[in-house]
Amino acid sequence: MTDRPGKAAIVEKPRTERAAEALAAEGVYDPGRRIEAYDADRVALPVTRPPIETDVEAVVDLDLPARERGLADVLRSRGVPADVVEAAPSSWAVIGDVVLVDFGDVSAARTLDRGSRETIGEALLEVHGDADTVLARGGISGTRRDPAGAVVAGSGDTETVHTEHGIEYALDLSETMFSPGNKAERARMGDVVSAGERVFDMFAGIGYFSLPMARAEASVTAAEIDPTAHRRLVENARRNGVAARVEAVLGDCRSVETAADRVLMGYYDAHEYLDSALEAVVSGGVVHLHEATPEALFPGRPIGRLRDAAAATGRTVDVLGARRVKSHSAGTVHGVVDARIE
């Protein structure tokens, strides 16, 4: 393996994940080189040019080692036909020791029969030596957000523990959804909340947002309607030492009576529950409204829905910000609007 000449952005170690995500979003991150320690407290992130939007300590000339062989390299070394190599997914997520991959968005999907998917899955296990199962991502359905998927390679064990920003999420990917694209938003929720705040997480799942907020010493009422996800929520609160700050409620969030300084609505159709959110949030409190929105209608549509719902109860809305969390599908974004309610 040879080093590649280039530049590196220097950041403090605790910021590694978020800085890398920001550099990638800015289009300056170099995925062909590895992240390396720069000194005892800082890391060097490979970049193609100095960033403009991302805050870094410095940009230096540094030869960082090239990344190890990628999926296409492994497939070619195994003599896989060129059309299958070309059709292989270009991105995937490693959740604990499970590789979660979407085979549905590739241009040459006709080549990816069951055997081809298994071949790609076995190659992914070689690329990610610590993983033991490859799971093909399916859709999410119903109000309980049940995932569909199929094991394509490995042991078939979909139960795992995923660590992110120092938080451990225990889950079974065959029965519980986990969105890698929400990673930065999960971290942000831990940053925006203050110690002692009362939070109402209306769609808590296994603790995606509740855990970072509880770790920041907020008091979280976390509602989850699915018994399986609720069981994991309770387990994860204990696992992360925040059980005393998480009240895990099994049931429909609309039946929960609480007063909150901050209401988190992490569900694509959360606008249908705005009446309950506005009933829970105190004057001066903040609502985080998530929505899957056609790109041309963001953030206008969710803001309009929030204003209309607030007006119906005689309250006002001060929009604090709106951000795109990730791409949901072609032409549709997963976005969130932050608003103060008076």
Side-chain angles (χ1 to χ4, degrees), residues 309-332:
T313 62
R315 306 184 76 175
T316 60
V317 173
D318 177 18
V319 176
L320 304 177
R323 53 188 272 122
R324 288 168 170 78
V325 176
K326 64 180 184 297
S327 173
H328 174 266
S329 57
T332 302

Side-chain angles (χ1 to χ4, degrees), residues 287-324:
V287 169
H288 302 282
L289 174 62
H290 289 243
E291 183 174 304
T293 310
E295 192 157 9
L297 300 181
F298 185 81
R301 188 174 78 174
I303 290 175
R305 285 171 165 168
L306 183 53
R307 290 194 190 280
D308 289 345
T313 62
R315 306 184 76 175
T316 60
V317 173
D318 177 18
V319 176
L320 304 177
R323 53 188 272 122
R324 288 168 170 78

Side-chain angles (χ1 to χ4, degrees), residues 65-263:
R67 280 192 180 274
E68 309 195 347
R69 290 196 307 165
L71 175 60
D73 299 318
V74 173
L75 290 171
R76 291 189 190 100
S77 71
R78 294 183 173 201
V80 173
D83 60 343
V84 176
V85 176
E86 183 180 353
S90 60
S91 62
W92 50 87
V94 181
I95 309 299
D97 52 15
V98 178
V99 180
L100 187 62
V101 59
D102 187 350
F103 288 100
D105 61 353
V106 294
S107 60
R110 58 186 171 78
T111 67
L112 296 180
D113 55 21
R114 182 174 179 178
S116 296
R117 292 186 178 202
E118 183 177 347
T119 296
I120 292 170
E122 290 171 349
L124 282 168
L125 290 176
E126 181 175 335
V127 172
H128 299 282
D130 293 334
D132 58 24
T133 295
V134 177
L135 183 69
R137 185 203 296 269
I140 303 295
S141 62
T143 57
R144 299 189 179 188
R145 297 168 289 175
D146 296 321
V151 172
V152 297
S155 70
D157 185 3
T158 55
E159 188 170 6
T160 190
V161 176
H162 177 64
T163 302
E164 183 180 286
H165 301 121
I167 295 175
E168 293 184 351
Y169 297 90
L171 73 160
D172 187 330
L173 287 162
S174 70
E175 60 186 23
T176 305
M177 63 163 284
F178 192 92
S179 176
N182 294 355
K183 184 177 182 180
E185 190 66 15
R186 287 189 284 270
R188 186 175 80 97
M189 286 297 97
D191 291 337
V192 300
V193 73
S194 300
E197 270 194 34
R198 298 168 298 172
V199 175
F200 182 25
D201 186 353
M202 297 180 69
F203 309 95
I206 64 170
Y208 313 107
F209 299 114
S210 291
L211 297 176
M213 300 175 94
R215 194 173 68 162
E217 299 187 0
S219 177
V220 183
T221 299
E224 176 50 47
I225 197 170
D226 177 48
T228 300
H230 176 267
R231 176 173 58 83
R232 292 293 187 180
L233 170 63
V234 173
E235 175 188 351
N236 288 327
R238 291 173 179 162
R239 175 182 287 273
N240 289 279
V242 296
R245 294 194 291 273
V246 176
E247 180 187 358
V249 179
L250 174 60
D252 192 318
C253 59
R254 289 171 291 198
S255 66
V256 178
E257 295 183 8
T258 188
D261 305 301
R262 190 178 298 272
V263 176

